[in-house]
Amino acid sequence: MKTTVSLPKAKIVNKELNVHNDPRIDSYFWLNQREDKEVIDYLETENAYFKENMRHTEDFQKSLFEEMKARIKEDESSVPYKHNGYWYITRYEKGKGYPIYTRKKETLDAPEEVLLDCNVEAEPHEYYKARGLSISPDNTMMAFGVDTVSRRQYIIKIKNLITGAYFEETIENTTGSVTWANDNKTLFYTLKDPETLRSYKICRHSLGTSVTKDVDVYEEKDDTFDVFVYKTKSKRYIYIGSSATLTSEYRYVDANTPFEDFIIFQERIRGLEYGMAHYDGHFYILTNADNSTNFKLMKAREGATEKKYWETIIPHREETLLEDIDVFKDYLVLSERTNGLNHIRIMRWDGSVDYYLPFDNETYTAYSSINIEFDTEWFRYGYNSLTTPTSVIEFNMRTQAFKILKEQEVLGGQFDKTNYDSERVWATANDGTKIPISLIYRKGIKMDGSHPLLQYGYGSYGHTIDPYFSTTRLSLLDRGFIYAIAHVRGSEYLGRSWYDNGKLLKKKNTFTDFINCSEFLIERGYTSAQHLYAMGGSAGGLLIGAVINMKPELYKGVIAAVPFVDVVTTMLDDTIPLTTGEYDEWGNPNEAEYYHYMKAYSPYDNVTKQAYPNMLVTTGLHDSQVQYWEPAKWVAKLRELKQDDNKLLLHTNMETGHGGASGRFEALKELAEEYAFLFDLEGITK
């Protein structure tokens, strides 16, 4: 379609970057000046080009938005949970895009108390996000964090729940989370470095005093570590955690004596990861100690917490990843993963009971839900699958009876889960490894290669994309798309070794796995190269960028959302948020071996003169995780070198950051744009 807006062209200003005697020329380095008018003008030009190229789909985008919104119940409420004498409920009202946080005293029939109406708070702002609502032990005060820039730098506010008034003091540049001591007047919070945004310091604040009098309790000097603070479920201790990708260290103090010095639980040892829960005079420790790659459960007595005192409770198992634990007065609940599938194991402390909850699907997700109460025999968990909406289920660990507290409603009268099929298939990687793929599609589809397929991938940080239900995805499926999640190496879908084999000097496995999945889906007739699309965001955007440099001919189109594509330059700049904490994931390019390896796959560094698929690239000007200039530079270089007439669109949201638009439904507009881009390439117009 001919446009009236000319093709954007970023000026070329060659800058030489020389590390390890390897000169690189970066022609678009200048785009990293966020406040520069010329940079803003260029981004606006790209936005105008995007808008012009998508103009013919605007009516379709609006109908897609309304279609997706119509499936969502607007006057929605969360499942109430009880904590310290109150039932807590998050609800939405029709026509409003932000949550309302409420509570009721003792019974659900009690009058509602509104803790925070985010619709009111958000009114003056283009972007608004509240997080970390934390109630004081005596239920009279609430602290929470607010971000109005989308930079994930939260201002902590404190509210008197008796009077409704806010305390004068506010605390800036934090993670937004707060931990109360048991005296109801002392709280701990985490400061961020204003430049790198690293969480680096834990501070103590006394209610009603100036923030200038706050005490620095702990500062993390190692810039590859982040810090955080929280209270145990038993309410006995406050933990300060220091965490790198491969190493952890904790300190603790009695929550009743918050002015005492924190005690080190176990000093950091390179490669030792651990986390704890407290129960009945013991700490229960989830750890990879003693080469327990998939983690094991150990325990230590109060006062004897060094590793040499740890005793094994649940041993390491080669076939099962131990992901998390929930501690109750009489029960221990283990969240496990075997052969890629979630399992929930329930045990009595006295050893008289040990069983698994039954699940009979291969494309499901099951997980521990909100379980704050300690002295209860009821365990809450969530369940959904690619074809089944989410349910919150309450399970009696003693009687094994269960009740469904809430089933996700899909409004509109069109959805019937029996109209869809899901399956798990296995592709073969270049090295012979079997790669699982979760699929969903409309029943009756003929696997003759004629159907469009959207293949999604991530594959970093050990983060697993489980097969989950999505109401918005129905807009793809009902128009003939097949949807696939490629469980590539770099996640923990098949255990910790699955992650280890997709990072550092094995990172390329992530990309070749994704390609092998694409080839498998084509070979088996699920789709063809003329109808195959790929999508990923953030580190998943790196995946997309690497894949289309390697095998662009496999894909008709791709979507790269907030993509991490300028790997070498970013990882060499330790002033950029997150860089130093990422060395254990990608490697430190100040070391030649890692530099040359990541240079060999970095999407920006490997753009060449070849044909590329149709592309939609999105970013946010205030992105704190992947800076906007990475996708902007990438698109500029692609425009310079690509040898085709396919679409290349860059859309920068000038108001938001990494997570996109705020508000419950605003994000649907961005999704409608992405879907319209795919549908347009397929010739689907309604």
Side-chain angles (χ1 to χ4, degrees):
M1 179 178 178
K2 190 174 181 180
T3 65
T4 57
V5 176
S6 59
L7 189 73
K9 188 172 178 61
K11 71 176 182 180
I12 293 176
V13 181
N14 290 332
K15 180 179 178 64
E16 181 176 308
L17 305 171
N18 196 325
V19 181
H20 305 299
N21 295 316
D22 178 39
R24 289 182 301 130
I25 301 299
D26 189 343
S27 302
Y28 304 104
F29 188 87
W30 64 275
L31 284 170
N32 69 358
Q33 300 300 309
R34 194 191 316 269
E35 308 299 328
D36 187 277
K37 183 180 184 301
E38 193 170 5
V39 171
I40 297 299
D41 287 346
Y42 170 70
L43 296 177
E44 295 285 16
T45 301
E46 284 282 5
N47 279 349
Y49 184 74
F50 163 80
K51 186 174 179 62
E52 181 68 15
N53 272 270
M54 294 293 289
R55 189 181 303 281
H56 65 289
T57 71
E58 285 181 354
D59 288 342
F60 192 16
Q61 288 180 44
K62 290 174 185 175
S63 65
L64 282 169
F65 169 75
E66 294 298 337
E67 174 182 300
M68 291 187 285
K69 183 180 176 184
R71 296 193 193 105
I72 300 171
K73 188 178 181 186
E74 290 196 55
D75 52 343
E76 183 75 281
S77 292
S78 66
V79 177
Y81 68 88
K82 197 172 187 182
H83 178 56
N84 200 21
Y86 282 84
W87 289 94
Y88 287 87
I89 305 164
T90 302
R91 62 178 179 81
Y92 292 87
E93 292 181 350
K94 195 167 185 179
K96 296 182 179 180
Y98 291 89
I100 302 169
Y101 296 99
T102 72
R103 69 179 181 179
K104 296 182 178 184
K105 190 171 183 179
E106 295 298 346
T107 73
L108 290 171
D109 296 326
E112 178 187 78
E113 177 186 353
V114 174
L115 303 174
L116 183 68
D117 186 342
C118 294
N119 298 286
V120 175
E121 301 289 332
E123 280 181 7
H125 307 288
E126 290 288 338
Y127 178 92
Y128 179 88
K129 175 73 173 177
R131 76 176 299 264
L133 274 69
S134 180
I135 308 297
S136 62
D138 65 1
N139 293 313
T140 64
M141 288 162 289
M142 176 181 71
F144 62 98
V146 173
D147 175 13
T148 57
V149 179
S150 190
R151 190 83 176 148
R152 300 189 183 182
Q153 292 171 285
Y154 290 85
I155 298 172
I156 290 172
K157 297 183 176 183
I158 307 167
K159 183 178 182 181
N160 185 318
L161 297 177
I162 306 293
T163 66
Y166 283 92
F167 284 78
E168 286 187 11
E169 63 259 36
T170 58
I171 308 170
E172 297 185 356
N173 199 33
T174 78
T175 61
S177 62
V178 169
T179 299
W180 292 89
N182 290 345
D183 62 3
N184 300 297
K185 59 185 179 183
T186 304
L187 44 83
F188 295 86
Y189 61 90
T190 309
L191 276 182
K192 286 190 166 188
D193 183 289
E195 185 173 20
T196 67
L197 302 188
R198 181 174 71 95
S199 306
Y200 79 107
K201 186 185 289 186
I202 305 298
C203 301
R204 186 180 67 227
H205 176 74
S206 294
L207 200 60
T209 66
S210 170
V211 175
T212 60
K213 296 181 179 179
D214 287 1
V215 176
D216 295 347
V217 175
Y218 175 71
E219 181 175 354
E220 178 54 66
K221 301 291 188 182
D222 188 331
D223 62 5
T224 67
F225 281 72
D226 292 314
V227 294
F228 50 93
V229 60
Y230 67 100
K231 188 186 288 187
T232 60
K233 186 174 177 178
S234 68
K235 309 305 178 190
R236 175 69 189 278
Y237 293 106
I238 294 171
Y239 292 148
I240 292 175
S242 294
S243 177
T245 305
L246 301 173
T247 307
S248 48
E249 178 183 76
Y250 286 85
R251 291 163 168 77
Y252 66 100
V253 72
D254 192 313
N256 294 305
T257 56
F259 289 83
E260 297 291 324
D261 292 335
F262 279 73
I263 302 166
I264 291 182
F265 190 91
Q266 161 60 47
E267 288 187 355
R268 66 188 65 176
I269 300 172
R270 175 71 177 175
L272 175 65
E273 299 174 64
Y274 70 93
M276 311 89 65
H278 176 255
Y279 166 70
D280 194 26
H282 287 83
F283 294 99
Y284 288 81
I285 306 155
L286 192 62
T287 180
N288 68 345
D290 311 314
N291 298 312
S292 299
T293 307
N294 277 336
F295 288 74
K296 63 180 176 179
L297 186 64
M298 307 184 79
K299 76 173 183 178
R301 291 183 292 104
E302 292 177 347
T305 62
E306 294 176 72
K307 181 176 175 290
K308 63 183 177 181
Y309 298 116
W310 298 359
E311 304 170 28
T312 298
I313 303 299
I314 305 292
H316 175 256
R317 291 159 290 171
E318 291 292 338
E319 76 287 354
T320 298
L321 175 65
L322 182 54
E323 294 187 312
D324 205 357
I325 63 172
D326 281 283
V327 171
F328 298 88
K329 182 173 180 287
D330 296 319
Y331 295 90
L332 171 67
V333 178
L334 308 176
S335 295
E336 303 177 347
R337 185 184 297 273
T338 302
N339 195 32
L341 305 180
N342 304 126
H343 297 284
I344 296 175
R345 182 181 179 184
I346 295 174
M347 308 169 65
R348 275 192 69 97
W349 289 111
D350 62 13
S352 63
V353 168
D354 186 349
Y355 60 90
Y356 284 88
L357 297 183
F359 303 117
D360 58 356
N361 196 308
E362 281 202 337
T363 59
Y364 74 89
T365 301
Y367 51 92
S368 172
S369 185
I370 298 174
N371 289 286
I372 294 178
E373 289 294 292
F374 179 70
D375 187 4
T376 179
E377 58 189 29
W378 291 96
F379 168 71
R380 284 190 183 182
Y381 68 95
Y383 176 88
N384 67 74
S385 74
L386 285 176
T387 59
T388 307
T390 301
S391 293
V392 178
I393 300 164
E394 196 161 63
F395 180 81
N396 190 293
M397 295 179 282
R398 177 179 56 83
T399 67
Q400 299 190 32
F402 71 92
K403 51 188 175 183
I404 298 174
L405 300 179
K406 186 181 181 66
E407 288 182 299
Q408 180 183 6
E409 292 185 61
V410 183
L411 302 184
Q414 302 295 316
F415 173 72
D416 181 347
K417 67 179 181 181
T418 63
N419 289 332
Y420 306 89
D421 277 333
S422 66
E423 60 177 320
R424 185 170 64 160
V425 296
W426 299 76
T428 302
N430 294 338
D431 61 5
T433 302
K434 295 295 184 182
I435 312 298
I437 309 169
S438 296
L439 291 157
I440 181 173
Y441 43 82
R442 289 278 301 196
K443 263 189 182 149
I445 278 183
K446 203 173 192 179
M447 301 307 174
D448 58 4
S450 66
H451 290 280
L453 186 149
L454 178 59
Q455 181 180 329
Y456 183 86
Y458 187 76
S460 293
Y461 305 105
H463 178 65
T464 298
I465 306 297
D466 281 309
Y468 64 97
F469 182 79
S470 166
T471 62
T472 56
R473 190 189 298 137
L474 298 174
S475 292
L476 286 175
L477 303 177
D478 292 344
R479 290 175 173 84
F481 266 76
I482 299 170
Y483 184 84
I485 302 171
H487 303 291
V488 294
R489 281 175 281 188
S491 74
E492 287 185 343
Y493 186 80
L494 291 177
R496 186 58 180 259
S497 63
W498 201 246
Y499 171 40
D500 292 338
N501 284 310
K503 68 176 182 180
L504 296 174
L505 298 175
K506 296 180 180 180
K507 187 64 211 170
K508 290 180 184 178
N509 284 338
T510 303
F511 316 135
T512 55
D513 283 358
F514 193 87
I515 289 169
N516 294 147
C517 288
S518 298
E519 292 169 337
F520 171 87
L521 292 168
I522 291 171
E523 289 166 7
R524 293 298 177 93
Y526 288 97
T527 190
S528 64
Q530 292 74 41
H531 299 287
L532 177 57
Y533 302 89
M535 182 175 182
S538 194
L542 161 63
L543 166 63
I544 298 302
V547 161
I548 62 170
N549 280 335
M550 297 164 71
K551 285 280 188 177
E553 69 275 9
L554 280 178
Y555 307 96
K556 175 73 173 289
V558 301
I559 298 173
V562 292
F564 173 41
V565 286
D566 190 13
V567 182
V568 178
T569 304
T570 290
M571 292 304 298
L572 282 168
D573 188 350
D574 60 12
T575 69
I576 294 176
L578 306 183
T579 295
T580 54
E582 305 275 283
Y583 290 158
D584 286 335
E585 179 71 25
W586 314 104
N588 183 347
N590 294 296
E591 300 174 25
E593 182 180 26
Y594 289 110
Y595 169 86
H596 290 294
Y597 186 81
M598 64 177 62
K599 182 188 173 187
Y601 69 73
S602 172
Y604 182 65
D605 291 286
N606 289 281
V607 173
T608 61
K609 290 185 177 181
Q610 64 176 346
Y612 281 90
N614 295 281
M615 296 177 61
L616 171 59
V617 182
T618 64
T619 187
L621 182 64
H622 301 291
D623 197 324
S624 60
Q625 312 300 106
V626 177
Q627 306 301 311
Y628 74 88
W629 59 76
E630 292 199 39
K633 288 169 56 178
W634 184 42
V635 167
K637 191 172 184 179
L638 281 163
R639 290 206 189 285
E640 176 191 350
L641 296 177
K642 76 187 191 82
Q643 307 291 298
D644 60 78
D645 295 321
N646 290 329
K647 290 184 178 182
L648 174 58
L649 305 178
L650 172 65
H651 185 201
T652 304
N653 190 321
M654 306 301 281
E655 304 294 339
T656 67
H658 199 65
S662 66
R664 192 180 183 198
F665 299 114
E666 286 303 304
L668 293 181
K669 294 179 181 177
E670 296 176 347
L671 188 59
E673 287 179 349
E674 294 169 355
Y675 281 7
F677 174 77
L678 298 175
F679 291 143
D680 190 44
L681 293 174
E682 277 295 308
I684 297 171
T685 58
K686 62 180 181 178

